[in-house]
Amino acid sequence: METDYNYARIEEAIRYIEANRKSQPSLEEVASHVCLSPYHFQRMFTAWAGISPKQFLEYLNVGYAKRILREERPSLLEATDEVGLSSTSRLYDLFIHIEGMTPGEYQSGGTRLAMHYLFSPSPFGEVIIASTSRGVSYIAFADEGREDAVQRLRNAFPFASVTEQEDEHNQNAANVFRLNWSDVHEVKLHLKGTRFQIKVWESLVRVPAGHLTTYHRLAESIGNANASRAVGSAVADNPVAVLIPCHRVIRSTGSFGQYHWRPERKAAMIGWEAARFSAQA
């Protein structure tokens, strides 16, 4: 997958542009920084984002983020007791069903759980996707290599049986990352988390691609407006990268803030989704 192969350069370009925003680096400067000709860099970036680097930068400024927060519909994060939640855009309709692990499974670190994993390319780098018989339980970026990614999976579920193998659930999720949505109607998640964490994650998947929210609004959506700090911790503990879109949570000031998988990747994901799915829709 070409976008996955080029993502490291995309991320480095975003890092460079952000670090030199005041001087407004030219296309030639950014291309030189990532060791490409201006022509090839422009072509690569546009193939990845769907728009030019200059247009992409418009989605990464605080003013844009504040506008999206202002224009966000009040009902976007409407609280619900239903388990099945939907995240939609003009280009896809992905239904995410969340099921929590039983207290025994949660407390035992996965004892008696059989987990299958595979590696998949994505527009933001390679990911490891692990699932049980009931759904996807873990997605993480394999930034430090596949061996390290598998070890981190084993650390998260120390007593589970972990095998590299495709199954219906991890393959369904992989199709989403490969942008192959034609056969994906539902992605099932089987998550290890407290009731509070799962409630936050359920609310998170209601934030559509191309939109943004804040920790305070998430807290309001679960009926506890004073729980912003606890909500922030639940967001940080998200075990399923991208499909539970913690990258769509930003500060109320409009700044993107930190991200477990590096702030440059968060900026890349926000900009990519804004370009692809049009937050103005």
Side-chain angles (χ1 to χ4, degrees):
M1 181 177 177
E2 186 178 359
T3 52
D4 180 61
Y5 176 79
N6 288 322
Y7 178 71
R9 280 177 165 163
I10 298 283
E11 186 180 58
E12 181 57 35
I14 291 173
R15 183 183 295 112
Y16 181 79
I17 292 169
E18 288 284 284
N20 296 278
R21 180 180 291 277
K22 289 184 178 180
S23 64
Q24 292 290 301
S26 66
L27 175 68
E28 288 74 17
E29 288 178 275
V30 180
S32 175
H33 181 74
V34 296
C35 302
L36 289 173
S37 70
Y39 170 79
H40 282 99
F41 173 67
Q42 176 98 349
R43 184 177 178 184
M44 178 196 74
F45 196 98
T46 303
W48 175 79
I51 55 177
S52 71
K54 184 176 181 180
Q55 292 171 309
F56 184 86
L57 280 180
E58 296 175 5
Y59 293 122
L60 301 187
N61 66 63
V62 171
Y64 168 80
K66 285 183 175 179
R67 179 174 66 79
I68 294 303
L69 290 176
R70 276 198 312 270
E71 296 176 357
E72 183 183 84
R73 298 187 306 276
S75 62
L76 185 64
L77 293 174
E78 184 177 354
T80 179
D81 292 327
E82 297 178 4
V83 174
L85 300 169
S86 179
S87 174
T88 61
S89 77
R90 292 188 305 170
L91 300 186
Y92 72 78
D93 190 350
L94 177 63
F95 190 84
I96 296 179
H97 181 89
I98 295 178
E99 176 184 349
M101 291 189 178
T102 65
E105 291 169 333
Y106 175 79
Q107 294 171 4
S108 67
T111 298
R112 295 185 297 279
L113 282 179
M115 303 193 74
H116 298 156
Y117 72 87
L118 57 73
F119 288 92
S120 173
S122 87
F124 316 106
E126 187 173 57
V127 293
I128 182 173
I129 306 172
S131 55
T132 69
S133 61
R134 298 207 292 278
V136 172
S137 299
Y138 181 89
I139 300 178
F141 289 98
D143 291 334
E144 305 302 323
R146 292 188 171 188
E147 185 175 338
D148 175 80
V150 173
Q151 186 57 54
R152 290 177 183 272
L153 168 62
R154 294 185 187 277
N155 291 344
F157 296 90
F159 302 111
S161 170
V162 176
T163 307
E164 184 171 12
Q165 181 179 323
E166 291 186 9
D167 63 28
E168 176 187 1
H169 298 303
N170 59 32
Q171 188 59 61
N172 230 8
N175 283 338
V176 174
F177 282 102
R178 293 166 183 160
L179 311 185
N180 178 19
W181 301 318
S182 58
D183 295 324
V184 178
H185 305 292
E186 181 178 56
V187 175
K188 294 181 179 179
L189 305 183
H190 184 211
L191 303 182
K192 181 177 75 171
T194 65
R195 291 180 64 182
F196 179 83
Q197 287 175 320
I198 289 176
K199 197 171 184 179
V200 172
W201 299 337
E202 286 174 344
S203 205
L204 261 178
V205 301
R206 285 189 168 276
V207 185
H211 289 260
L212 302 169
T213 191
T214 66
Y215 298 101
H216 179 67
R217 289 187 184 183
L218 269 181
E220 288 181 326
S221 76
I222 63 172
N224 194 342
N226 296 318
S228 295
R229 187 178 297 273
V231 163
S233 295
V235 170
D237 290 336
N238 168 26
V240 176
V242 186
L243 293 190
I244 297 179
C246 54
H247 59 280
R248 296 176 195 157
V249 186
I250 66 172
R251 294 171 179 164
S252 56
T253 60
S255 65
F256 290 172
Q258 294 301 306
Y259 184 54
H260 179 75
W261 303 106
R262 295 195 299 269
E264 295 85 8
R265 180 177 270 126
K266 183 175 186 177
M269 294 165 78
I270 289 173
W272 187 90
E273 289 184 349
R276 296 271 174 164
F277 301 112
S278 181
Q280 301 177 41

